[in-house]
């Protein structure tokens, strides 16, 4: 199945084909793939001996590093730790521990995987990811996330809410009109309201930001 992997340091996401393998005893990432995509590999204290399906020792003999990252699949999100080893043409393997933890519905005939039986912690992480995506949109960081959450019919107005639009004076429109003062109008001095220290700091921060 196709999943997304996110680096914890840069939050960069990489699409990858993951192999579901009930015969694998863990979660694995290919060494060459990990290096080429720039995943940070952490050395483990005690190397782990790895054997292939046919019982032979893996070419690299032992696992010495792991990769920790976030994994996404159809709205499902979780933090995973994968052992790094030689997988040949396979990029990622999700083994029995992952299958047992999530117990996904698998339609082998259609090739579909549904995450309908996940533990409560998965739903909590999904909610946290949703909040994170909303914050990204508020900071104007991820246009793709914006398009995913906002209906297409509203996309043409997205720039109105962008930070750039707020950093300049409004463009003059045909319907703009002047406020005409009466001839007998005279300027008046009004009372200056005192501000607390916190209020003055807020005002100054606003002025500095606008400047």
């Amino acid at each position: 199945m196709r999943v997304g992997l996110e680096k914890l340091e840069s939050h960069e996401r990489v699409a990858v084909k993951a192999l579901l393998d009930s015969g694998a005893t863990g979660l694995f990432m290919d060494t060459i793939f990990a290096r080429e995509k720039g995943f940070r590999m952490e050395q483990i204290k005690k190397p782990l001996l790895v054997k292939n399906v046919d019982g032979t020792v893996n070419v690299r003999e032992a696992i010495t590093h792991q990769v920790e990252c976030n994994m996404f699949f159809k709205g499902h999100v979780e933090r995973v730790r994968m052992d790094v080893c030689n997988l040949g043409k396979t990029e990622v393997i999700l083994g029995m521990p992952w299958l047992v933890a999530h117990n996904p519905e698998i339609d082998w005939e259609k090739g579909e995987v549904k995450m309908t039986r996940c533990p409560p912690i998965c739903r909590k992480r999904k909610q946290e990811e949703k909040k994170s995506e909303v914050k990204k949109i508020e900071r104007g960081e991820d246009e793709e996330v914006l398009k995913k959450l906002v209906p297409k019919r509203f996309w043409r107005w997205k720039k109105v809410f962008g930070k750039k639009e707020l950093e300049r004076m409004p463009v003059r429109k045909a319907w703009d009109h002047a406020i005409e003062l009466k001839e007998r109008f005279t300027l008046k001095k009004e009372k200056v309201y005192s501000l607390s220290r916190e209020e003055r700091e807020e005002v100054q921060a606003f002025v500095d930001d606008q400047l």
Side-chain angles (χ1 to χ4, degrees):
M1 64 183 192
R2 197 162 188 82
V3 301
L5 301 179
E6 182 184 62
K7 302 174 187 176
L8 302 184
E9 303 77 25
S10 63
H11 300 292
E12 177 187 355
R13 294 188 184 183
V14 178
V16 58
K17 288 183 179 180
L19 172 66
L20 296 181
D21 187 353
S22 60
T25 57
L27 282 71
F28 303 93
M29 179 182 291
D30 181 62
T31 305
I32 296 176
F33 171 80
R35 288 174 178 168
E36 288 181 347
K37 298 302 181 181
F39 283 93
R40 188 168 69 88
M41 294 188 286
E42 301 177 2
Q43 187 170 3
I44 58 179
K45 294 181 179 180
K46 186 178 180 180
L48 302 173
L49 185 64
V50 180
K51 290 186 178 181
N52 299 316
V53 178
D54 59 3
T56 60
V57 177
N58 190 275
V59 175
R60 298 191 66 85
E61 296 185 353
I63 293 174
T64 58
H65 291 78
Q66 291 181 331
V67 165
E68 186 176 9
C69 61
N70 291 323
M71 186 170 73
F72 301 84
F73 177 69
K74 294 183 178 180
H76 172 86
V77 58
E78 64 177 304
R79 180 72 58 86
V80 296
R81 185 175 286 274
M82 300 183 181
D83 295 324
V84 180
C85 62
N86 178 39
L87 301 179
K89 295 182 179 180
T90 305
E91 297 168 330
V92 167
I93 291 178
L94 302 178
M96 202 59 187
W98 186 86
L99 293 170
V100 170
H102 301 287
N103 193 22
E105 288 187 71
I106 303 176
D107 189 322
W108 297 104
E109 185 177 353
K110 296 180 180 179
E112 294 180 351
V113 179
K114 297 180 180 179
M115 309 296 286
T116 57
R117 299 185 290 223
C118 288
I121 186 65
C122 292
R123 289 191 290 273
K124 182 179 179 181
R125 285 170 178 162
K126 184 176 181 179
Q127 293 172 354
E128 291 174 350
E129 172 64 16
K130 198 76 170 180
K131 291 179 181 178
S132 176
E133 289 182 345
V134 172
K135 288 181 180 179
K136 282 185 178 181
I137 292 175
E138 291 174 347
R139 294 195 300 266
E141 291 181 1
D142 198 331
E143 187 169 335
E144 290 303 316
V145 174
L146 174 65
K147 288 183 177 181
K148 185 169 65 174
L149 296 180
V150 179
K152 189 174 182 178
R153 62 183 182 275
F154 299 126
W155 289 0
R156 56 178 171 160
W157 291 298
K158 64 183 176 63
K159 69 176 184 179
V160 176
F161 303 97
K163 188 169 176 59
K164 285 187 176 181
E165 295 295 317
L166 301 176
E167 292 177 345
R168 62 172 175 78
M169 294 296 291
V171 177
R172 186 174 293 279
K173 303 291 184 180
W175 51 81
D176 289 347
H177 63 278
I179 299 176
E180 302 292 346
L181 301 177
K182 295 180 179 180
E183 292 183 1
R184 59 178 181 274
F185 175 80
T186 56
L187 295 174
K188 298 178 182 179
K189 285 188 176 181
E190 295 293 342
K191 177 183 177 182
V192 178
Y193 291 91
S194 60
L195 301 175
S196 66
R197 180 176 61 81
E198 291 81 5
E199 291 171 332
R200 289 197 302 272
E201 290 176 354
E202 286 293 330
V203 171
Q204 189 59 52
F206 173 78
V207 173
D208 292 341
D209 180 62
Q210 296 303 305
L211 290 175

